[in-house]
Amino acid sequence: MSYEPISVFEEHSFWLEVLEDHAHFIHDFLSPSEVEYVNTAKQYIQLFRGLLTKLSYLPPTASVSSADMISFAREVYPIANGYFHFEGYLQRLRIENKVNLNLTPTYLNGTLGENQEYLRMLVFFLNGQTPPILPLVDLMDLWLEDSAGHAALLARALDGVEMALVTQTRGYMQIFQSFIVKNEAIKGYLRFTPEGFPIQLQFARDVVMAVIGFTSLVEKMVQLYKGDEVLNQSTLRFLEHHFPEACYFLKKLSYYVPDITYPTCSLSKPSFRT
């Protein structure tokens, strides 16, 4: 499957939906007693939703250097940056046990890393430029952490009596964690070996197969969830959050390994189309 660049319109749509989801998750996992932070999360949900609505009125084919897209990036940046600092502050409070938030500091490492990548891209969008794609090792860093986190959170969300599903999910968590270790080793090899050497590219193909396999398991979970056939403490938004991120990862990987194949996918959640 040859690499097809993601347009500036699609990048904004993808990242704003991701950040809106993250704000929903903060809202959902905060205690109602944390009134100030619950209200802030609600405000960001509304801000990201408003930006997505504004984006829908722009032409999807608009170039990165168009006045519309530059103006839109200028509007997005302070909101995305503000949310980055809001989550970062909550992470510090969680580390110090000063907030009633049922999420771990390491979970927030993942969401902050994704937000930071959008901020990196926005710096280029602000200037009407196309951001360079992340080096393969950095792309792996970002999205393997995401995939391992999704698997860990899904295993946690399942009722303990769903042993078969928990075992399958933990299996993928271990696979992604082993990939994180291998990618860390590859960083060392890149001191003297140019990026794109055969072992690194085969590693990328292995990652593609794992992402496809895990996504298939999440699809099964979604169907069970919709049919009220699985015991869990999750939400449909959380379950479907995996799909656009996995799709984005696969599309970006195809830049480095254009011979990979993967199922047709969307950069938006099935039940929450923007």
Side-chain angles (χ1 to χ4, degrees):
M1 186 177 294
S2 60
Y3 173 69
E4 294 183 6
I6 297 172
S7 72
V8 60
F9 183 97
E10 291 172 321
E11 289 281 5
H12 281 304
S13 180
F14 167 76
W15 285 110
L16 289 170
E17 184 176 317
V18 165
L19 292 182
E20 183 192 6
D21 278 357
H22 290 175
H24 273 284
F25 302 150
I26 290 293
H27 174 271
D28 292 348
F29 284 98
L30 277 166
S31 166
S33 64
E34 300 287 2
V35 176
E36 177 186 354
Y37 304 134
V38 169
N39 287 337
T40 301
K42 284 181 181 177
Q43 289 168 9
Y44 276 110
I45 290 168
Q46 293 166 357
L47 286 168
F48 291 132
R49 178 48 41 185
L51 288 169
L52 282 164
T53 300
K54 286 186 178 181
L55 180 65
S56 70
Y57 290 109
L58 298 180
T61 56
S63 71
V64 69
S65 60
S66 67
D68 281 343
M69 283 302 175
I70 292 173
S71 176
F72 186 72
R74 287 175 178 167
E75 186 173 359
V76 170
Y77 187 89
I79 297 172
N81 189 50
Y83 185 70
F84 178 72
H85 287 278
F86 171 57
E87 272 203 357
Y89 180 61
L90 288 180
Q91 182 187 55
R92 178 180 173 181
L93 294 179
R94 181 63 280 178
I95 289 170
E96 297 172 350
N97 294 320
K98 293 178 179 177
V99 65
N100 192 345
L101 172 65
N102 192 27
L103 290 169
T104 68
T106 302
Y107 162 85
L108 291 166
N109 265 356
T111 56
L112 286 165
E114 292 166 23
N115 194 336
Q116 198 165 24
E117 169 60 5
Y118 187 32
L119 292 174
R120 178 190 76 87
M121 300 183 80
L122 280 167
V123 170
F124 290 91
F125 293 153
L126 287 168
N127 294 295
Q129 300 171 343
T130 299
I133 189 170
L134 284 176
L136 180 54
V137 71
D138 294 331
L139 185 71
M140 290 290 195
D141 251 355
L142 179 64
W143 293 111
L144 285 175
E145 181 178 13
D146 176 76
S147 298
H150 285 187
L153 286 167
L154 181 55
R156 172 186 170 190
L158 285 163
D159 191 299
V161 300
E162 298 284 6
M163 294 182 186
L165 287 172
V166 170
T167 299
Q168 285 180 274
T169 305
R170 286 180 177 164
Y172 278 108
M173 179 182 69
Q174 291 170 352
I175 289 171
F176 290 129
Q177 288 173 337
S178 74
F179 285 162
I180 290 170
V181 172
K182 185 167 185 176
N183 193 56
E184 193 64 29
I186 287 172
K187 283 184 192 178
Y189 310 151
L190 293 175
R191 293 189 188 100
F192 295 100
T193 304
E195 183 178 76
F197 60 101
I199 288 173
Q200 188 185 24
L201 296 183
Q202 182 53 48
F203 174 53
R205 295 184 187 99
D206 293 341
V207 169
V208 167
M209 295 307 297
V211 171
I212 292 171
F214 181 55
T215 300
S216 179
L217 177 59
V218 178
E219 288 171 348
K220 176 182 176 181
M221 280 289 304
V222 168
Q223 293 308 310
L224 291 172
Y225 182 94
K226 288 182 174 179
D228 301 329
E229 296 169 330
V230 63
L231 298 166
N232 72 102
Q233 59 178 17
S234 190
T235 64
L236 183 60
R237 180 179 291 274
F238 169 75
L239 292 172
E240 290 192 356
H241 180 75
H242 171 76
F243 297 140
E245 292 190 331
C247 184
Y248 187 87
F249 188 19
L250 292 170
K251 286 179 181 290
K252 294 290 184 176
L253 280 173
S254 70
Y255 174 82
Y256 293 102
V257 277
D259 60 329
I260 64 170
T261 59
Y262 55 88
T264 301
C265 60
S266 172
L267 295 174
S268 184
K269 297 182 299 300
S271 300
F272 304 86
R273 296 293 187 194
T274 57

